């Protein structure tokens, strides 16, 4: 795994060509208000986070390439429809990325899901790859990478390297993300300019502890309820 340049203060210009932020509607801000609130219970957090995740997944799927497909309706007429040009798979960056699997299953139960386990060193914030289990012939798929948080971008780059080393072309990857920092986007888009990044918010900046501002806290802890015994 490569070392990630953590030049957080000055490196926040990023290549915008393949970075897509959801439209910042009042409705989306309402959902963000629910999940960014530090007093949100686990139930509130997961309930509203799932709605943002659904929007991200729908927007990610709409950007894919479709082919024509005809079907015959029950009244014998022809419907000129569409089908995905490539099969789709998901790959979750464990643990926080697994939060996106439920909504994906609500969209299509047959989509295979792989896992990549990456954990950051608490001090250096540098990512370490522990485990990867990917769908067979993953190079034939369009891959949706599930990772709600992109702070320094180190974990994202590590996950994208695993996929590209497995034969996936960067243009066949969509990185599905809730919050990202300009600094992290600069690092990721420099290394992988052809990967599409679909996010719900480009944050203001990273602080000195590599936390996004205004941010949401530790997404994995809040989604899976591993910090507060009383929050249900
Ligand atoms: C968090 C988050 C991302 C990563 C982002 O994971 O879920 O995976 O940090 O940070 P980066 O862009 O600076 O690499 P964490 O290591 O806290 O693990 P978790 O998913 O178990 O919460």
């Amino acid at each position: 795994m490569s070392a990630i340049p953590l030049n957080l203060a000055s490196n926040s210009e990023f290549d915008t060509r393949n970075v897509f932020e959801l439209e910042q509607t009042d409705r989306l801000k309402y959902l963000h208000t629910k999940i960014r609130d530090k007093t949100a219970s686990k139930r509130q957090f997961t309930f509203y986070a799932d709605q943002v995740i659904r929007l991200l997944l729908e927007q990610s799927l709409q950007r894919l390439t479709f082919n024509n497909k005809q079907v015959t309706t029950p009244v014998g007429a022809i419907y000129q429809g569409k089908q995905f040009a490539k099969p789709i798979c998901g790959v979750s960056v464990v643990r926080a990325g697994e939060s996106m699997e439920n909504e994906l299953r609500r969209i299509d139960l047959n989509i295979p899901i792989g896992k990549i386990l990456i954990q950051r060193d608490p001090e250096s914030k540098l990512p370490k790859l522990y485990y990867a289990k990917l769908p067979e012939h993953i190079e034939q798929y369009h891959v949706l990478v599930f990772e709600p948080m992109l702070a320094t971008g180190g974990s994202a780059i590590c996950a994208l390297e695993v996929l590209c080393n497995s034969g996936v072309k960067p243009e066949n990857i969509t990185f599905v993300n809730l919050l990202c920092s300009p600094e992290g986007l600069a690092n990721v888009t420099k290394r992988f300019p052809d990967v599409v990044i679909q996010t719900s918010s480009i944050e203001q900046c990273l602080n000195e502890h590599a936390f996004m501002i205004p941010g949401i806290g530790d997404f994995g802890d809040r989604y899976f309820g591993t910090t507060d015994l009383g929050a249900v």
Side-chain angles (χ1 to χ4, degrees):
M1 186 178 59
S2 9
I4 306 305
L6 296 178
N7 184 7
L8 302 180
S10 58
N11 185 18
S12 60
E13 289 288 314
F14 62 90
D15 183 343
T16 57
R17 276 175 301 168
N18 283 314
V19 177
F20 298 95
E21 188 183 37
L22 289 181
E23 190 182 348
Q24 299 299 295
T25 61
D26 285 350
R27 165 70 177 144
L28 179 62
K29 287 179 182 169
Y30 167 83
L31 297 174
H32 269 264
T33 304
K34 292 286 189 186
I35 59 179
R36 289 177 191 263
D37 185 342
K38 70 175 186 180
T39 68
S41 65
K42 175 178 180 289
R43 181 179 296 185
Q44 174 174 327
F45 188 83
T46 56
F47 184 75
Y48 292 102
D50 282 348
Q51 294 182 51
V52 180
I53 288 167
R54 182 62 179 243
L55 293 174
L56 286 167
L57 290 174
E58 292 290 356
Q59 198 62 42
S60 300
L61 293 175
Q62 281 177 34
R63 291 192 194 288
L64 300 186
T65 306
F66 291 80
N67 292 332
N68 294 330
K69 179 182 168 70
Q70 280 187 354
V71 289
T72 305
T73 72
V75 296
I78 299 295
Y79 176 73
Q80 308 286 356
K82 295 283 181 187
Q83 63 182 2
F84 290 113
K86 287 175 86 66
I88 296 162
C89 74
V91 172
S92 301
V93 179
V94 179
R95 158 189 68 157
E98 292 174 302
S99 64
M100 297 186 171
E101 294 177 6
N102 282 345
E103 288 304 312
L104 182 75
R105 290 193 191 95
R106 282 188 229 275
I107 290 170
D108 190 333
L109 275 174
N110 286 322
I111 295 178
I113 299 176
K115 307 271 185 180
I116 298 176
L117 174 55
I118 296 167
Q119 292 285 283
R120 295 181 306 170
D121 181 280
E123 293 302 319
S124 71
K125 306 296 181 195
L126 287 173
K128 184 167 160 44
L129 172 66
Y130 286 90
Y131 169 86
K133 185 74 179 174
L134 303 174
E136 275 184 34
H137 307 299
I138 192 166
E139 72 283 354
Q140 296 174 14
Y141 288 84
H142 187 95
V143 183
L144 302 175
V145 181
F146 299 146
E147 172 55 280
M149 299 287 103
L150 194 166
T152 67
S155 304
I157 290 174
C158 183
L160 293 171
E161 282 179 347
V162 170
L163 293 173
C164 291
N165 289 341
S166 302
V168 183
K169 293 194 176 123
E171 60 266 33
N172 290 330
I173 299 175
T174 303
F175 190 89
V176 188
N177 167 262
L178 256 96
L179 299 190
C180 58
S181 74
E183 296 89 337
L185 284 176
N187 285 332
V188 176
T189 57
K190 190 172 168 192
R191 188 69 169 273
F192 292 102
D194 294 329
V195 168
V196 167
I197 299 176
Q198 177 65 62
T199 185
S200 75
S201 176
I202 300 171
E203 299 286 279
Q204 290 164 15
C205 60
L206 289 180
N207 70 9
E208 65 276 21
H209 303 295
F211 292 136
M212 285 182 274
I213 302 296
I216 202 167
D218 187 312
F219 188 93
D221 275 340
R222 297 190 73 194
Y223 194 92
F224 294 109
T226 44
T227 47
D228 182 2
L229 271 180
V232 291

